[in-house]
Amino acid sequence: MVRGKHVVYFALQPPPEAAAQALARFEAARARHRVSAKPTPAARLHVSLNPIGEFKRPPTPVFDKALEAAAAVEARPFVVAFNRLGTWPSGDPPPLVLWGDEGVIGVNALYTSIQRALRRHDMAPRREVEIVPHMTLLYDRAQVPETVVEPVAWTVREFVLVHAVHGEGRYDVVGRIPLSG
């Protein structure tokens, strides 16, 4: 894959109420753990699903092909719930994330459905990568131990195709794919 600043992937976006809840869980931990970084703006919070790729230039034809593949995804709306908050040991600085237990089963199933659709369009490898559904709130050197929190939950009714431009802070939703049923 070409390393570039134009990154394309499928994701879930929390509705405004759930994004506000996610940021409230962070604020409750901020002072206790001396977190100094600013959180991701509510409008940019998301749960990454399937990567499409990284490109040097805006990949407009790739958007169309990815959306065509996504149109074949068959999945029903489901509830996602994140009930854990903590620092993950990856990255420099590491991310502070929300993740869940049983509340992410639907996310894993949707990821698999999208992966199959992308494979049928020659846009994904045969071997499926295992994911751990999570929502990154910020990056900070402060270490927040795994903490059980009141769940941040919402009914997922769609997934989106995102075009992010690294270094420019751009995060554009290129397409919305409703779940059926």
Side-chain angles (χ1 to χ4, degrees):
M1 180 175 353
V2 173
R3 304 284 302 168
K5 71 184 221 176
H6 294 271
V7 182
V8 181
Y9 57 93
F10 286 109
L12 301 178
Q13 288 185 308
E17 316 81 54
Q21 289 174 3
L23 294 174
R25 303 302 180 270
F26 156 70
E27 288 299 334
R30 179 193 284 274
R32 276 188 309 227
H33 301 289
R34 297 188 179 125
V35 177
S36 60
K38 291 183 179 178
T40 300
R44 289 186 57 187
L45 288 175
H46 65 277
V47 179
S48 296
L49 293 170
N50 308 70
I52 301 301
E54 296 183 20
F55 308 89
K56 291 182 179 179
R57 289 180 287 291
T60 305
V62 173
F63 300 153
D64 295 336
K65 189 173 180 182
L67 290 170
E68 181 183 330
V73 171
E74 292 186 25
R76 301 180 72 113
F78 61 90
V79 174
V80 61
F82 296 111
N83 65 332
R84 303 211 177 262
L85 172 77
T87 299
W88 276 9
S90 64
D92 187 23
L96 177 68
V97 304
L98 282 168
W99 74 98
D101 298 317
E102 300 85 25
V104 299
I105 292 169
V107 178
N108 284 315
L110 178 59
Y111 169 83
T112 297
S113 294
I114 295 169
Q115 188 73 9
R116 286 184 189 135
L118 290 171
R119 250 188 313 223
R120 285 192 295 274
H121 284 78
D122 295 321
M123 294 188 75
R126 287 250 170 252
R127 187 166 161 245
E128 187 174 318
V129 176
E130 189 172 321
I131 65 165
V132 179
H134 64 281
M135 185 185 317
T136 300
L137 302 175
L138 58 90
Y139 294 87
D140 193 278
R141 296 203 183 286
Q143 294 295 307
V144 177
E146 179 179 342
T147 307
V148 175
V149 295
E150 183 178 339
V152 173
W154 73 92
T155 300
V156 174
R157 299 185 190 289
E158 68 178 7
F159 61 102
V160 296
L161 181 63
V162 173
H163 171 218
V165 184
H166 285 196
E168 293 181 14
R170 281 188 35 218
Y171 172 94
D172 301 318
V173 172
V174 178
R176 296 182 178 279
I177 303 90
L179 300 182
S180 58

